[in-house]
Amino acid sequence: RRKKLRVLTNELPIMLRSYFRGLGIVMIVLAIANSILFWMVGLDYPYVWGILIGALSIIPYVGTMIGLLLPLSYSFLSAPSLTQPLLILLGFGIIQQIEGNILTPKIVGEHVNLNAFTALISTIIAGLYWGVAGAVIAIPAAGVIKLLLEQWEETQIIAKLMSSKIDKSEHAEPSKIEPQKK
């Protein structure tokens, strides 16, 4: 038990620190990228909108979408044509694809080691129970639960199901089943 507790006390602070440091980096990158996008398309107050989207990205999955609604609504109301809002949607989609598929998995995901399904479900459940604060702490809390589950043999399979990395070397080759003779 002491060995398991020692593993937890060593790994837990490292994981949490790495997660929040990585999340901070992603927030800054999103704020800068969106500010540049809004400046390029000529939206008023580009840095305010970009920083807002970067700050709201602390809420996994839904934060940046909520952040997009405000400058996009402003653009629809203030732009003389639909070109600016469409360019904002296109640019935002590109930024989100880069962030969601490259930045966040590399910077944040490696430290918590949760698959997307576990992250999404934990964010929804924590958000329903504890609101925005729950959504913010959902992924690190799920990471803590996964670390706890890894410590006992009986629950390691659940931890593996939560993990984003499945070690293929642990799985045996499927047995060959001979077809039935008629």
Side-chain angles (χ1 to χ4, degrees):
R1 288 185 182 179
R2 285 184 185 181
K3 183 180 177 186
K4 292 176 184 179
L5 185 60
R6 197 173 305 123
V7 168
L8 285 175
T9 57
N10 289 337
E11 288 184 28
L12 190 61
I14 293 168
M15 185 212 37
L16 292 174
R17 193 173 25 245
S18 298
Y19 172 77
F20 285 111
R21 185 180 311 126
L23 189 60
I25 292 169
V26 170
M27 289 171 63
I28 291 169
V29 168
L30 282 176
I32 292 169
N34 284 299
S35 294
I36 291 170
L37 167 68
F38 297 147
W39 173 75
M40 287 175 62
V41 298
L43 186 65
D44 295 334
Y45 317 110
Y47 307 113
V48 172
W49 299 123
I51 291 170
L52 177 69
I53 289 175
L56 286 173
S57 70
I58 196 167
I59 304 170
Y61 300 106
V62 295
T64 51
M65 296 309 290
I66 293 169
L68 172 67
L69 290 177
L70 297 171
L72 190 60
S73 300
Y74 180 81
S75 176
F76 272 119
L77 295 173
S78 67
S81 69
L82 288 177
T83 306
Q84 187 183 53
L86 292 176
L87 287 174
I88 288 173
L89 279 174
L90 177 69
F92 183 79
I94 292 169
I95 290 170
Q96 283 306 112
Q97 287 298 313
I98 292 169
E99 180 267 333
N101 293 316
I102 298 170
L103 286 179
T104 299
K106 287 291 178 195
I107 296 173
V108 178
E110 290 178 353
H111 302 294
V112 181
N113 188 17
L114 290 175
N115 62 41
F117 180 74
T118 302
L120 181 62
I121 293 299
S122 62
T123 302
I124 290 170
I125 291 170
L128 287 173
Y129 281 108
W130 298 294
V132 174
V136 169
I137 64 165
I139 292 176
V144 168
I145 291 169
K146 188 179 91 32
L147 270 177
L148 287 169
L149 294 173
E150 287 174 343
Q151 302 308 309
W152 288 272
E153 192 173 326
E154 299 84 15
T155 58
Q156 284 179 351
I157 188 70
I158 298 169
K160 286 181 183 178
L161 289 173
M162 294 172 70
S163 176
S164 64
K165 299 172 188 168
I166 296 177
D167 188 8
K168 294 177 182 172
S169 64
E170 293 179 14
H171 303 291
E173 285 190 25
S175 62
K176 295 179 182 177
I177 300 173
E178 293 183 28
Q180 294 180 353
K181 295 179 184 178
K182 291 184 179 181

